[in-house]
Amino acid sequence: MNPSNVLASRAGDAAVRPPKKMRSPTARAWLFLLPAMLFLFVLVVASLLVLRMSVGVKGEEWTAFSLESYVRLLEPYYMKSLLLTMRLALVSSVIAVALAIPVGLAMARLKSPLMRQLFLAAVLLPLLVNLLLQSYGWLVILGPAGLLNKMLLSLGLIERPVMLLYNQAGVLLGLVQTAFPLAVLPIASSVRGVSRSYEEAAATLGASRLQVLRQVVLPMSMPGIMTGATLVFAYNASSFVVPMLLGGRRVPMLAVVVHDQIAPLLNWPSASAGGVVLILSTLAVMGLSEYFTGRSRRALEVS
């Protein structure tokens, strides 16, 4: 064969052959993660700026260094606000999880894909509505002349309107309603992962439906339940709109106190210190919850 024809044939094969991949899998993975890393970088920088302002002095946030803002948080008013925030977030998470368990069980046991999608859409509907609009809706329902009081008066259950606004009951109701979907989704996913064979085996051994639920389904779904409770707690601990509108100044959760330090007082160091304490307190509770969730997962793997 003519050498020139061989070279031409090889050149044609090289032109047809697809080019070699220029990037390694690791490089492609980092490139894929780049947008998320940039977003996290902005959050980290913002957190460091807040931390720096928390050790500053009003009017000299970037030059002075003082722990006065943290010392002020030890005053009874701020300590009461922190404890109130943790308590309402904890109670709301317990109530939300208790209400979300039957809903999650129903979602996990639905066989029709259409019904499951409709159920999911109904659960996620509150997340599609602006939080401010939801809070104003509760004002219309819970007000002295609201729908709930009018209904109770018409039924003769009360003689005068019940005050459900600007107190902890109204705030707790709003917190549970707005964070309810965050508890349903992890529980439904966890229950869906429980094999029906375990329930059938328990029923074969003579367990009732209630015993199967209490001794089989709920223990095996505990990681999802703990995750849902953690999400609700973290979401409600930093809530501002609900306590501001439904509680006013009578329910001073820490996010409302931080807002008051910024808006009328322009005390950025004090507000930053409050935000740092709120973040650390929430992370501590989330870390404790993650510890117990990990223990629950390991116990399920062993069993």
Side-chain angles (χ1 to χ4, degrees):
M1 181 179 292
N2 192 344
S4 60
N5 294 335
V6 174
L7 293 176
S9 176
R10 291 180 179 178
D13 293 341
V16 175
R17 191 183 301 118
K20 295 182 178 180
K21 296 181 179 179
M22 301 300 295
R23 298 189 182 93
S24 65
T26 304
R28 290 198 303 272
W30 281 109
L31 186 62
F32 180 75
L33 293 174
L34 184 59
M37 293 177 63
L38 290 176
F39 180 71
L40 291 176
F41 175 76
V42 173
L43 292 181
V44 170
V45 171
S47 301
L48 292 177
L49 293 177
V50 171
L51 181 62
R52 174 61 186 91
M53 283 195 298
S54 68
V55 294
V57 179
K58 183 179 180 181
E60 300 178 359
E61 289 83 0
W62 306 111
T63 56
F65 181 86
S66 174
L67 297 177
E68 178 184 355
S69 299
Y70 289 97
V71 174
R72 289 188 60 192
L73 292 178
L74 298 177
E75 296 178 1
Y77 175 75
Y78 294 101
M79 292 299 298
K80 180 181 178 181
S81 176
L82 177 61
L83 293 177
L84 176 65
T85 301
M86 296 294 106
R87 181 165 61 85
L88 287 179
L90 180 61
V91 173
S92 64
S93 64
V94 172
I95 296 175
V97 166
L99 296 175
I101 287 176
V103 179
L105 287 171
M107 287 183 60
R109 295 298 182 250
L110 287 175
K111 296 181 179 180
S112 172
L114 178 61
M115 291 300 298
R116 190 180 298 116
Q117 291 177 3
L118 292 176
F119 215 100
L120 180 62
V123 171
L124 295 178
L125 186 61
L127 297 180
L128 303 178
V129 181
N130 187 275
L131 190 58
L132 189 62
L133 295 178
Q134 295 185 54
S135 300
Y136 277 119
W138 281 115
L139 289 176
V140 174
I141 295 174
L142 301 179
L147 300 177
L148 182 59
N149 274 310
K150 286 184 177 180
M151 183 182 67
L152 295 177
L153 287 171
S154 62
L155 295 175
L157 299 178
I158 58 175
E159 297 180 356
R160 57 183 181 179
V162 180
M163 191 62 183
L164 297 174
L165 289 178
Y166 310 119
N167 52 34
Q168 295 184 23
V171 173
L172 186 61
L173 184 59
L175 292 176
V176 171
Q177 182 268 321
T178 53
F180 178 73
L182 300 179
V184 173
L185 299 181
I187 293 176
S189 177
S190 182
V191 173
R192 196 176 295 117
V194 178
S195 176
R196 296 297 295 268
S197 61
Y198 295 108
E199 302 179 41
E200 295 172 357
T204 303
L205 295 175
S208 63
R209 290 187 177 183
L210 183 60
Q211 289 175 327
V212 171
L213 175 64
R214 189 178 68 251
Q215 300 179 10
V216 178
V217 178
L218 290 183
M220 299 189 71
S221 305
M222 192 55 62
I225 294 174
M226 294 296 296
T227 300
T230 304
L231 290 175
V232 174
F233 178 86
Y235 184 80
N236 287 339
S238 59
S239 179
F240 165 72
V241 175
V242 172
M244 184 69 177
L245 293 180
L246 302 184
R249 296 296 186 272
R250 297 184 181 181
V251 186
M253 293 183 68
L254 195 55
V256 178
V257 175
V258 170
H259 169 267
D260 292 340
Q261 292 294 325
I262 296 175
L265 301 178
L266 294 179
N267 192 344
W268 290 94
S270 181
S272 301
V276 170
V277 170
L278 179 59
I279 292 173
L280 293 179
S281 302
T282 305
L283 289 178
V285 175
M286 291 177 64
L288 188 63
S289 173
E290 184 62 26
Y291 170 75
F292 286 109
T293 302
R295 289 189 57 180
S296 177
R297 288 197 182 99
R298 289 191 295 270
L300 290 175
E301 292 174 357
V302 171
S303 61

